[in-house]
Amino acid sequence: MRKFFKWFMITVLVLTGVFFTWVYLATYHPKAIQKEQVTCGKDAPTLKAGQSLKVLSWNVQYMAGKGYVFFYDLLDNSGPDTRPSKDSISLTIKEVARIITQEDPDIILLQEIDEGAARTDKEDQLKRLLGLINKAYQCHCSAFYWKASFVPDPHVMGSVGMKLSTISKYKISEGVRHQLPLIPQNFLVQQFYLKRAVLETKMPVEGNKDLLVLNTHLSAFAQGTKTMEQQVAHVNKMLKKRTKQGHPWLLGGDFNLLPVGNAYRKLPEYQKKYYKPKTEIASFFNDYQAVPNIEQTRGENRAEWFTHFPNDPRVKQPDRTIDYIFFSKNIDLRKTGIGQKDTWSISDHLPLMAEFSLK
């Protein structure tokens, strides 16, 4: 009996070791700060001080389109859909390319771009998109924030790969991924869950310090934790450091946070569960310049600045602002805009655009 127990325990320990080894090898373990590969054409032009610069920031929802209610779109995870069809993906990529061609931005900040994900047939979506837009977009850099060869969740049961991508007509000299604080979860779940990040790209400027372009997608579904405060504080620390260094910088993305003012009170009761009454990002509107700004997000025409159109059957049009572009005080703002009616069927987010001048 003693011998049997000994071999039983050895077997359990071996199998446990094999299991944890598989978990580690199947999942993504980025460093706190790590360099990312930059792809850039040799003849890509360099930015110049004083020139105008148009930026487009857009969460493209892994090119799924608006014809679905995914499991995570409802707070109780009861959404019926787990993936888009091939036809929906193809149509949506073409529509994203159409808007980019129509707006002709100089820098594009995309969130939720899939690569290697089973739900989108393991395609590199950025590669296909680049083949559909102007060849002047010679430079790009990406950083994964969800990556695993297999996720044993009933809604997934396959590989995942989702990244931030920054695309530019102008030279990018360096790309760096910055890990953000994670939602506190048990060890195993956290290995397979999203690892939110900031992608920072450095763009040389003739006659000035390098322009730093930051692209991010903060956590969703972090209710009951301090995750959002921690992520905002982490990003704020980065911005203050770059401000002190005198670099011009731009930060765009999907922040999953409401603006200051009465946005929270205006939501239906069931939607308030996603947010806190006092937005965690309030300090950004005080310390930095913002698109949209405080007046735009709480004025009479605040609906013109809604950037989110949830995949919820109860919601019939964009109903809140959670996407922003923040920028340093040594950059001038010229124009702003939201892609409205002609983008409602493309993603659960609308593209946010702004034109700047580099001092």
Side-chain angles (χ1 to χ4, degrees):
M1 189 69 178
R2 186 177 297 173
K3 186 175 182 180
F4 170 80
F5 181 75
K6 175 184 176 181
W7 282 107
F8 174 77
M9 292 304 299
I10 290 173
T11 302
V12 170
L13 290 172
V14 169
L15 291 177
T16 301
V18 169
F19 174 72
F20 278 98
T21 299
W22 172 79
V23 169
Y24 184 83
L25 294 176
T27 53
Y28 183 44
H29 306 277
K31 298 177 182 177
I33 300 175
Q34 66 180 32
K35 287 196 173 184
E36 298 290 353
Q37 180 179 344
V38 173
T39 299
C40 214
K42 292 182 179 179
D43 57 345
T46 301
L47 287 169
K48 296 180 180 179
Q51 79 169 83
S52 63
L53 186 68
K54 186 175 182 179
V55 177
L56 182 152
S57 180
W58 197 0
N59 180 333
V60 292
Q61 194 198 211
Y62 54 93
M63 307 297 182
K66 281 286 293 173
Y68 304 92
V69 180
F70 295 108
F71 62 94
Y72 54 80
D73 285 322
L74 303 181
L75 198 58
D76 61 358
N77 277 354
S78 64
D81 299 312
T82 57
R83 63 151 294 164
S85 69
K86 290 185 178 180
D87 288 343
S88 291
I89 295 168
S90 294
L91 176 61
T92 305
I93 292 179
K94 290 177 182 177
E95 283 293 277
V96 170
R98 176 181 67 82
I99 296 299
I100 290 173
T101 301
Q102 172 183 300
E103 298 298 333
D104 193 30
D106 299 294
I107 298 174
I108 306 166
L109 309 178
L110 299 180
Q111 303 88 45
E112 290 197 21
I113 287 282
D114 265 9
E115 180 183 342
R119 67 183 178 186
T120 48
D121 307 308
K122 299 187 177 182
E123 181 182 19
D124 183 344
Q125 294 185 331
L126 178 62
K127 182 178 180 181
R128 200 202 306 195
L129 178 63
L130 290 171
L132 296 174
I133 60 178
N134 195 322
K135 301 306 177 186
Y137 294 104
Q138 297 188 51
C139 302
H140 60 87
C141 181
S142 297
F144 281 99
Y145 59 109
W146 196 21
K147 189 177 182 183
S149 60
F150 184 84
V151 174
D153 182 297
H155 297 108
V156 182
M157 299 304 287
S159 61
V160 295
M162 189 166 71
K163 60 189 183 180
L164 303 163
S165 292
T166 298
I167 307 167
S168 173
K169 291 180 179 179
Y170 294 92
K171 184 178 180 180
I172 298 174
S173 60
E174 186 179 21
V176 179
R177 182 192 189 280
H178 300 264
Q179 179 61 51
L180 290 174
L182 303 177
I183 297 175
Q185 300 174 102
N186 74 62
F187 174 79
L188 278 179
V189 171
Q190 199 164 70
Q191 304 314 301
F192 294 99
Y193 204 66
L194 284 77
K195 297 177 173 66
R196 306 280 180 167
V198 176
L199 171 61
E200 180 179 25
T201 47
K202 182 183 293 185
M203 302 180 64
V205 180
E206 291 182 11
N208 201 344
K209 288 190 174 184
D210 295 338
L211 171 67
L212 306 180
V213 179
L214 298 94
N215 183 1
T216 195
H217 185 186
L218 302 190
S219 286
F221 319 116
Q223 299 86 351
T225 75
K226 293 288 186 179
T227 304
M228 303 309 288
E229 289 94 337
Q230 292 167 354
Q231 290 184 356
V232 168
H234 188 102
V235 175
N236 199 21
K237 185 177 179 180
M238 292 176 60
L239 298 183
K240 287 187 180 302
K241 179 179 179 180
R242 283 141 187 80
T243 299
K244 188 175 182 180
Q245 293 170 338
H247 283 284
W249 56 261
L250 299 163
L251 165 66
D254 173 4
F255 290 80
N256 277 315
L257 292 170
L258 298 172
V260 295
N262 58 4
Y264 178 83
R265 296 195 301 274
K266 294 283 188 179
L267 290 176
E269 285 302 316
Y270 75 94
Q271 290 182 355
K272 290 180 179 178
K273 296 177 182 179
Y274 289 99
Y275 308 101
K276 293 183 178 179
K278 185 177 180 181
T279 182
E280 296 90 332
I281 205 169
S283 64
F284 277 29
F285 290 92
N286 295 323
D287 296 341
Y288 311 115
Q289 301 181 89
V291 177
N293 59 37
I294 292 177
E295 290 73 22
Q296 290 165 332
T297 57
R298 65 182 181 187
E300 291 182 2
N301 299 319
R302 69 188 193 93
E304 296 178 4
W305 294 96
F306 289 161
T307 63
H308 188 37
F309 186 1
N311 296 327
D312 184 330
R314 294 164 288 188
V315 181
K316 305 303 180 184
Q317 61 187 20
D319 68 348
R320 72 197 82 162
T321 303
I322 58 175
D323 303 80
Y324 311 96
I325 299 174
F326 297 99
F327 56 103
S328 59
K329 293 180 180 179
N330 51 2
I331 293 178
D332 288 331
L333 179 63
R334 289 187 171 183
K335 297 179 183 177
T336 59
I338 295 280
Q340 283 287 356
K341 294 287 187 179
D342 63 339
T343 68
W344 284 19
S345 64
I346 301 175
S347 171
D348 59 345
H349 288 255
L350 278 59
L352 176 60
M353 293 163 283
E355 187 174 326
F356 303 95
S357 175
L358 298 175
K359 290 184 180 180

